[in-house]
Amino acid sequence: MTRTPGGGAPPPPGKDPAARVPTLPSVPAQPGPPAPESAPAAPASVPRARRTAFAEGFDRLRAAATTEPGRLRILGAVLALLVVAFGAVAAWQMTERTAAADDVLNRSQPLSSDAADIYRSLADANTAAASGYLAGLQEKPATRATYEKDIRTAAAKLVTAAANSEPGSTSAATIASLSRLLPEYKGLVETARANNRQGYPVGGAYLRAANEMMQQRMLPAAEKLYRTENQRLGADYADARSFPWASLGLGVLALAALGWAQHRTYRRTNRVLNHGLVTATAAATVGLLWLTVSHTVARAGLDDSYEHGVRSLTVLHEARIASLTARSDENLTLVRRGADTRALEDGSVADAYEWGYDHQIDALRTALARAADLADDAAGGKPVRDANGFMKVWKDRHDLARADNDSGNYQAARDRVIGAAKEPTSVCFDNVDKALATALTHEQGEFRRAAGGGLDALTGVPAGAAVLAVLGAAGAVLGIGRRLSEYR
C-alpha cells in the first residue's frame, strides 16, 4: 500500500487532499507605520558633445604618428608640400620680377625718353619760333621746317604717352593739359609770325604771349611729366632688382627637410640612397641654383643698365634741355630788347633773358661735366667732349653779340645770333645739339643692351620653377612610398 510522504494513507481516488484542509479565518490588517517616500529616480545620462572633424582628424593623425607607416605618410606629405610651396612661390616672385624687367626695357624707360622728347620738342619749337621771328622776311625754310617738325613730334609723343598712361593718373592729367595748350601756343606763334611779316610791332606781343605760355605752363608741365615717368622707371627698377627672399627661404627649408629625411632613412634602413628622395633633392637644388644665378645675373644687367644707361641718359637729357632753353633766351633777348628785367641778389637789375641764358649755360656746363664722368667708353665720351667744346665757342660768340647789343648795334648782334654773320651762335647751338643727340643714341643702345641681357636671364625661370617643383614633389612621394611598401 502506497503511503504519502507524511506517512498517512493515500487519498481515495477522485478526492483532492487539499479539500480536507480547513480554511483559517482571515485576520484583519493592523495599521502600521506609514511607508517611506520613494527615492528620486536616477537622472538620465547626458549625451556627450560631438567632437569636431578637426579634433577627430588630429587624434587619428596622432595615433598614426605612433607607427612607422603613419610617420612615413606624414613625412611624405610634408616634403611634397614644401617642394610645391617652394616652386609656387618661386614661380610667382620671378613672374613679377620678369614683368618689372620687361616694363623697364619696353615701357617705363621708353616713356621716360618720350617725356624728355616732348620737353625737347616744345623747347626747340619755341627756339625756332623766336629765331624765325628775328629773321622776319629772311626766315630760312630750314628754320620753319624745324618748327613744324618739333610741333608734330610733340603732338605724336603726347598721343603715345596718353595711350600708355593709366586713366586718372597724374601723367594722364598732365598729358591732357599739354594736348590742350599745344594748339593754343601754335595759334599765338602763327599770329605773331603773320604780324611780323607785315611789319606790325604787335607781332612781338603775340610772340611774348606764346613764349610765356611755353615757359610758364607748357615746359613746367612737360618737366613734371618727365619727372613722373622717371619715378615710375625707378619703381620698376626696384621691383625687378629686389631679392626673392620668400622663395629662397622656402628652397633652403625644402632642401634641409629632404636632407634630414634621407639621413633618417639611412639610419633606419642602412640604405645610402633613396631614389625618389634623391630625385626630389636634385630638383629642389637645381631650382634653387637656377633661381639664385638667374636673379643675380639679371640684377647685374639691370644695375649696369641703370648706372651706364639711365643715369647717362638723364644727364644728357638735362644738358639738351639746358642748351635749348639757353638758345631760346638768347633769341628772346633780342626780341624783347631789354623790356623784361630781373632783380639780382646784389640789388642790381639785369635783362631777364640774358640772366636766363647765363643760368642755362652754367647748367649745360655742369651737365656735360657729369656726362663725361659717366661715359665709360670712347664712343660715349667723344660726343660729350665735342659738345663741351662747341658750348665754349658758343659762349664766346654770345659775349660778342651781347657786347654789340649793349653798345646799341642791334643789327650786328642780331646777325651774330641768327646766322647772317660769318660765325653765328646758331651754328654753335646746332653743333651742341647734334653732339648731344649722338651721345643720347649711344647711351640708349647701351641701356637696351644691358637691360635686355638682364631680362633674358629671367626668361623661363617661372615655368622652370613650376616644372621642377612638380618633379620634386613626385620624387618625394615615390621615395616615401617605396619605404611604405616594405610594411605591406
Side-chain angles (χ1 to χ4, degrees):
M1 180 176 178
T2 304
R3 294 183 178 273
T4 62
K15 297 293 185 177
D16 185 0
R20 295 181 301 173
V21 178
T23 302
L24 297 176
S26 60
V27 181
Q30 297 295 324
E37 295 182 0
S38 60
S45 59
V46 180
R48 296 175 61 186
R50 187 168 184 175
R51 304 187 66 200
T52 63
F54 175 79
E56 293 178 355
F58 179 77
D59 287 344
R60 286 195 296 269
L61 183 64
R62 184 171 56 182
T66 61
T67 65
E68 181 61 14
R71 286 191 288 267
L72 287 174
R73 291 187 181 93
I74 295 172
L75 179 59
V78 171
L79 291 177
L81 180 62
L82 279 176
V83 175
V84 169
F86 164 55
V89 174
W92 164 57
Q93 290 193 314
M94 298 313 292
T95 297
E96 286 190 338
R97 281 149 184 78
T98 302
D102 184 73
D103 284 342
V104 166
L105 180 62
N106 298 314
R107 182 180 175 87
S108 303
Q109 198 282 326
L111 283 176
S112 178
S113 292
D114 284 347
D117 286 340
I118 290 172
Y119 191 107
R120 187 203 63 79
S121 298
L122 293 175
D124 195 35
N126 199 48
T127 299
S131 297
Y133 185 88
L134 280 175
L137 295 175
Q138 288 76 40
E139 180 183 9
K140 296 180 180 179
T143 304
R144 183 66 182 175
T146 298
Y147 168 80
E148 294 291 347
K149 179 183 177 182
D150 288 333
I151 293 295
R152 288 195 301 271
T153 300
K157 296 290 185 180
L158 285 172
V159 171
T160 302
N164 290 281
S165 62
E166 298 180 1
S169 63
T170 302
S171 294
T174 304
I175 293 168
S177 176
L178 285 171
S179 299
R180 184 179 64 255
L181 291 173
L182 186 60
E184 297 179 18
Y185 170 81
K186 188 175 180 182
L188 290 173
V189 170
E190 293 303 322
T191 303
R193 182 170 179 266
N195 282 278
N196 186 46
R197 293 177 71 86
Q198 297 179 46
Y200 298 150
V202 72
Y206 281 105
L207 184 65
R208 179 185 179 185
N211 178 71
E212 288 179 352
M213 177 181 290
M214 179 64 72
Q215 297 289 344
Q216 298 177 12
R217 300 174 65 184
M218 298 180 71
L219 289 182
E223 183 178 5
K224 180 181 179 181
L225 178 63
Y226 175 63
R227 302 299 178 194
T228 302
E229 295 302 327
N230 264 356
Q231 289 175 0
R232 183 162 72 168
L233 174 60
D236 287 339
Y237 260 111
D239 291 340
R241 294 187 298 180
S242 61
F243 277 105
W245 293 113
S247 55
L248 291 175
L250 281 172
V252 172
L253 182 60
L255 281 178
L258 287 167
W260 176 82
Q262 291 181 83
H263 180 67
R264 180 181 184 276
T265 301
Y266 168 72
R267 289 183 60 187
R268 292 176 179 271
T269 65
N270 205 28
R271 295 172 185 169
V272 178
L273 297 177
N274 179 293
H275 294 166
L277 294 179
V278 169
T279 301
T281 304
T285 302
V286 171
L288 186 61
L289 288 176
W290 190 3
L291 173 67
T292 304
V293 172
S294 63
H295 188 270
T296 301
V297 173
R299 185 182 176 89
L302 291 170
D303 286 342
D304 184 52
S305 70
Y306 183 81
E307 292 296 329
H308 302 113
V310 173
R311 289 184 62 192
S312 295
L313 287 169
T314 300
V315 173
L316 290 171
H317 282 308
E318 292 174 355
R320 203 173 190 189
I321 289 170
S323 69
L324 287 165
T325 307
R327 178 60 181 172
S328 177
D329 288 338
E330 184 179 48
N331 289 334
L332 289 169
T333 299
L334 299 178
V335 172
R336 298 301 302 155
R337 300 189 185 186
D340 299 292
T341 59
R342 179 186 180 91
L344 303 181
E345 295 180 355
D346 59 1
S348 60
V349 177
D351 182 275
Y353 295 110
E354 280 290 1
W355 179 90
Y357 171 85
D358 292 337
H359 180 73
Q360 294 300 326
I361 285 294
D362 288 340
L364 174 60
R365 183 184 295 109
T366 301
L368 289 175
R370 291 171 56 198
D373 292 337
L374 291 172
D376 57 347
D377 56 9
K382 184 180 183 304
V384 175
R385 291 192 298 271
D386 292 343
N388 191 56
F390 295 139
M391 182 267 297
K392 293 178 179 178
V393 176
W394 180 12
K395 183 70 170 62
D396 292 340
R397 294 180 183 178
H398 176 83
D399 290 341
L400 295 175
R402 178 182 294 182
D404 287 337
N405 191 39
D406 291 343
S407 64
N409 193 349
Y410 174 80
Q411 186 62 41
R414 176 177 172 273
D415 292 342
R416 289 184 183 276
V417 170
I418 66 172
K422 181 179 179 181
E423 296 178 342
T425 60
S426 60
V427 174
C428 301
F429 163 75
D430 290 340
N431 290 335
V432 170
D433 194 64
K434 290 177 182 178
L436 290 175
T438 301
L440 281 166
T441 301
H442 172 75
E443 296 300 335
Q444 186 72 26
E446 291 292 297
F447 161 79
R448 295 198 67 82
R449 177 191 59 78
L455 178 60
D456 291 342
L458 297 174
T459 302
V461 178
V467 171
L468 289 171
V470 172
L471 180 62
V477 171
L478 292 176
I480 297 299
R482 178 63 178 169
R483 285 281 296 118
L484 281 171
S485 66
E486 298 173 359
Y487 288 89
R488 298 193 182 108

